[in-house]
Amino acid sequence: MLRLLHGAKRSRLISARRLSRFRGFVDVVRLNVVAGKGGDGASSFYTDKKIHRGPADGERGGDGGSVYIEAHTNAHSDLSLSGKRIFKAEHGGHGGGKDMIGARGKDLTIQVPSGTLVYEQGHTENRIIADLVHGDRFMACRGGRGGRGNRAFQTSTNRNVNEAEAGSEGETRSLVLELKSVADVGLVGFPNAGKSTLLASMSSAKPRVASFPFTTLHPVVGVISRAQKEESEDEFDRVTIADLPGILEDAHRGRGLGLNFLRHIERTDVLVYVLDMTVKSPVEELTTLFKELDEYMNGLRQSRLALIVANKLDAADEGQLKLLDLIEWLAKEKIEVDVCPCSARLGRGVDEIKSLLFELLQRSGRSRRKLSGLKMLPFRKPKAPIGENGSAGRENKADNDSMLTVEWEEEPA
């Protein structure tokens, strides 16, 4: 918890979860959706100046509006939803006499970024009910049906029925939305490895670039296109790349920014490991990245094609020797992966990286993975036990929003 002072007399506590709002990016949000109630049926009889009480002419009420969640293709948006957390559709209108049917309530559509998972909150766990990508539309709550009027109950022998139905209530749900960005390539690496500089040099994205660590606090997505549309079996001519915050050793225990942001590379086909060649041992950084990815999700690293970018070679002492040591270690561990020397700051090697990315994506088949059989642990977990130093242990912090086993399902081509 952080304490923000407002004047001399009062203070306010802000949790780490609420702090994500101040960073300007929201990728997990809870909300309540309420469908509209159906209108009541009318009890009415036909009358005119010569007929005091004619046959029943009360009609049914209108159906209540439903709530839909629709994925749109704006890759730079998040789940802030303008701060709104309760969404209600319009109620149906009541039926009337003279055979007038009640107006149908308007449907409500909640637009979310492509790559959003929808969970229904339960008592013990949250159950996935939709995976929305590329324009998918899902009915979250169905509106209530309008009640029947007395006209529906009259018979040939009973024309004087006075019975009418009330409209049924619309569905209500408590949902959790989780954004997992739809990107083809994910950039992973230590803080200050040059991921943001590399993304800025390859695309028109404008990530924050500075000389201090953790300048990237949330994923930044950029798009690169072929310089010339060459003849290729790959039907796509552009690549989306997600730049992720830096990973530290023991990030799975809550160190640094943790690993929760790695949800944004679960849909990627290619992982790019950006290594800082100015450090003492780039090999140790690479092994740490492998370990942290395995701690986050077993099998995630092995199921992706990979590329290693040896960055900052222009500023590295004995950079060529470190590069040779890296290649020898990969050969010793029998890891088949391309290593691309680069200086993102000077733009050297960037074109070669682009070409390799298009080749790797062509080999991967651009699967556009959807998630299936996915379950999320409860969000509201018991607080961590207080340690001897009077503060909650950080080793459980990274598990607050952790995911269980994921099964992948590839869309048909």
Side-chain angles (χ1 to χ4, degrees):
M1 305 291 283
L2 298 181
R3 185 177 297 274
L4 302 182
L5 296 180
H6 296 264
K9 295 184 178 180
R10 59 175 184 166
S11 64
R12 186 171 57 154
L13 293 177
I14 297 183
S15 65
R17 185 177 296 279
R18 290 187 61 193
L19 279 175
S20 63
R21 299 181 187 176
F22 296 99
R23 295 185 185 131
F25 188 85
V26 179
D27 54 8
V28 177
V29 66
R30 282 188 292 269
L31 51 87
N32 295 321
V33 290
V34 182
K37 178 183 180 298
D40 297 337
S43 179
S44 175
F45 298 91
Y46 175 76
T47 59
D48 64 15
K49 62 181 180 180
K50 295 183 178 180
I51 302 176
H52 175 65
R53 189 182 179 96
D57 64 354
E59 265 293 355
R60 65 181 181 86
D63 295 337
S66 301
V67 180
Y68 293 88
I69 301 178
E70 182 179 19
H72 61 85
T73 55
N74 186 357
H76 299 281
S77 58
D78 61 1
L79 289 174
S80 59
L81 301 176
S82 300
K84 192 174 181 180
R85 294 297 177 262
I86 300 177
F87 295 85
K88 295 182 179 181
E90 194 176 72
H91 297 314
H94 299 314
K98 299 182 180 180
D99 300 334
M100 291 189 296
I101 300 175
R104 190 185 188 283
K106 292 183 180 179
D107 294 333
L108 175 65
T109 300
I110 305 172
Q111 287 195 336
V112 297
S114 182
T116 298
L117 290 170
V118 183
Y119 301 86
E120 183 174 21
Q121 284 188 306
H123 295 291
T124 58
E125 65 180 13
N126 297 330
R127 180 176 62 90
I128 184 172
I129 56 178
D131 180 11
L132 305 177
V133 295
H134 305 299
D136 291 343
R137 183 178 171 90
F138 167 70
M139 180 185 288
C141 286
R142 186 182 298 275
R145 292 183 61 85
R148 293 179 294 176
N150 63 341
R151 185 174 184 271
F153 295 98
Q154 69 178 355
T155 64
S156 58
T157 58
N158 184 7
R159 311 289 290 180
N160 200 25
V161 63
N162 200 28
E163 182 179 356
E165 288 180 340
S168 61
E169 295 288 339
E171 295 178 347
T172 300
R173 269 179 166 174
S174 295
L175 303 177
V176 176
L177 304 185
E178 180 185 27
L179 174 61
K180 296 189 175 181
S181 301
V182 180
D184 301 312
V185 179
L187 300 180
V188 294
F190 271 60
N192 268 357
K195 302 183 298 298
S196 298
T197 305
L198 180 62
L199 178 65
S201 64
M202 290 194 298
S203 69
S204 60
K206 303 296 182 184
R208 186 183 182 191
V209 178
S211 59
F212 52 86
F214 296 112
T215 55
T216 302
L217 297 177
H218 59 78
V220 179
V221 178
V223 179
I224 62 174
S225 302
R226 292 183 187 271
Q228 297 177 352
K229 293 187 178 180
E230 307 163 356
E231 294 184 1
S232 172
E233 296 179 358
D234 186 4
E235 59 179 322
F236 302 96
D237 60 355
R238 63 179 228 158
V239 175
T240 55
I241 304 177
D243 172 26
L244 302 179
I247 299 175
L248 292 176
E249 186 176 3
D250 290 333
H252 66 281
R253 298 180 180 273
R255 189 181 176 199
L257 297 180
L259 293 178
N260 289 332
F261 57 83
L262 287 181
R263 61 170 64 97
H264 297 282
I265 65 170
E266 291 185 26
R267 299 181 190 270
T268 59
D269 291 301
V270 178
L271 293 179
V272 177
Y273 300 94
V274 183
L275 301 181
D276 183 358
M277 301 303 290
T278 62
V279 300
K280 182 178 180 180
S281 177
V283 173
E284 290 184 5
E285 283 200 354
L286 184 59
T287 55
T288 300
L289 292 176
F290 286 170
K291 175 185 174 183
E292 295 301 327
L293 287 177
D294 292 340
E295 289 287 348
Y296 173 73
M297 182 179 295
N298 189 26
L300 175 66
R301 174 175 61 87
Q302 293 81 357
S303 62
R304 301 293 187 278
L305 296 177
L307 174 66
I308 295 177
V309 173
N311 194 24
K312 299 186 182 180
L313 275 176
D314 59 308
D317 295 332
E318 300 180 346
Q320 296 297 328
L321 293 177
K322 294 178 182 178
L323 182 60
L324 290 176
D325 291 341
L326 174 63
I327 295 174
E328 291 177 359
W329 180 83
L330 293 171
K332 180 181 177 181
E333 297 293 327
K334 298 181 179 180
I335 300 176
E336 297 182 1
V337 59
D338 292 325
V339 179
C340 187
C342 172
S343 173
R345 182 177 63 88
L346 300 178
R348 298 173 183 172
V350 173
D351 292 336
E352 290 78 2
I353 295 174
K354 290 183 180 180
S355 300
L356 285 172
L357 289 178
F358 280 106
E359 292 177 9
L360 291 172
L361 286 170
Q362 185 173 346
R363 285 166 49 190
S364 70
R366 305 290 288 266
S367 61
R368 294 188 177 185
R369 291 181 175 92
K370 275 197 172 186
L371 309 178
S372 65
L374 188 62
K375 294 181 180 179
M376 179 179 281
L377 297 175
F379 276 85
R380 300 186 183 276
K381 300 185 69 175
K383 293 183 178 180
I386 303 300
E388 295 180 358
N389 58 355
S391 61
R394 296 196 64 181
E395 59 271 15
N396 296 326
K397 178 179 181 292
D399 295 329
N400 287 343
D401 292 341
S402 60
M403 310 297 294
L404 294 179
T405 305
V406 173
E407 298 174 1
W408 297 105
E409 173 186 342
E410 295 190 1
E411 289 185 341

